[in-house]
Amino acid sequence: MSVKDVPKAKLKKFDCGTEVLNEFLSRYSLKNDTLGIGKTFVAFDETEETVGYFTLATAQVVYKDIPDEYRNKLPKYPIPSLRIARLAVGKDLQGKGIGKWLLAQAFIKIIHVAEITGLYFIIVNAKETSKGFYEHFGFIKFNDKEQSYFLPVDTVRKAMQS
């Protein structure tokens, strides 16, 4: 559900254990949505408690940051991308597959965007604690970027078709 359709009280109750992610959801996600900076989507359980959220925003990838095996077939200007700007799961539900489900929902939305506009990469700046999560799903480190990862949109598209 889009953040603009969620009562503010529900956003304030969310706790993923990382204050900056909690604060983003409760204080900034709706404003960013309204301004068109990022779109946040919130997931609920059967009791209508917030279980997690993700935020998508447009981005570009600088040519020099792309590993050689991808760079060689691309033009030398910034490559259109979509950033998973935030992804968080409630503290009590971590490790139960909610993050995987949220990532799948983000992928579905990203594929829809890729059908109507130029979009080559999905990018994420992973926290130290979430690097393994993104690597597990095939995200690849950028050159010289310690916590920045990417996945070609075409990889996701092919996976969803199989």
Side-chain angles (χ1 to χ4, degrees):
M1 169 180 295
S2 173
V3 72
K4 64 185 170 205
D5 300 322
V6 180
K8 285 186 181 185
K10 287 194 181 284
L11 301 178
K12 289 182 179 185
K13 286 176 58 179
F14 179 74
D15 183 11
C16 68
T18 303
E19 189 52 39
V20 68
L21 293 173
N22 295 339
E23 184 178 29
F24 173 81
L25 182 63
S26 67
R27 293 187 65 196
Y28 303 111
S29 62
L30 183 58
K31 183 173 184 173
N32 284 1
D33 190 279
T34 302
L35 292 172
I37 294 171
K39 297 295 181 180
T40 299
F41 302 90
V42 183
F44 299 95
D45 64 12
E46 61 279 348
T47 67
E48 297 191 23
E49 290 299 314
T50 305
V51 298
Y53 75 93
F54 64 89
T55 302
L56 300 176
T58 59
Q60 292 183 338
V61 175
V62 178
Y63 180 80
K64 71 176 179 56
D65 291 340
I66 303 167
D68 289 341
E69 67 259 31
Y70 295 92
R71 187 182 338 164
N72 294 336
K73 60 185 167 190
L74 295 172
K76 294 182 179 177
Y77 48 77
I79 304 302
S81 305
L82 202 64
R83 179 183 307 278
I84 300 174
R86 307 270 191 299
L87 190 148
V89 175
K91 188 167 49 173
D92 297 336
L93 297 169
Q94 293 173 2
K96 299 184 192 262
I98 305 293
K100 177 181 178 179
W101 183 84
L102 287 169
L103 186 60
Q105 298 308 303
F107 285 165
I108 290 167
K109 292 188 180 312
I110 291 166
I111 294 302
H112 286 291
V113 171
E115 296 302 319
I116 59 170
T117 188
L119 190 61
Y120 194 81
F121 288 127
I122 301 165
I123 59 177
V124 64
N125 291 349
K127 298 185 320 273
E128 186 65 39
T129 56
S130 61
K131 284 180 178 182
F133 172 80
Y134 290 107
E135 289 170 352
H136 174 77
F137 291 104
F139 280 81
I140 303 155
K141 258 182 79 170
F142 278 113
N143 291 342
D144 301 324
K145 301 283 185 181
E146 194 165 314
Q147 295 178 314
S148 294
Y149 290 82
F150 74 93
L151 193 61
V153 170
D154 203 43
T155 300
V156 174
R157 183 182 289 115
K158 288 175 182 173
M160 292 175 76
Q161 290 172 349
S162 61

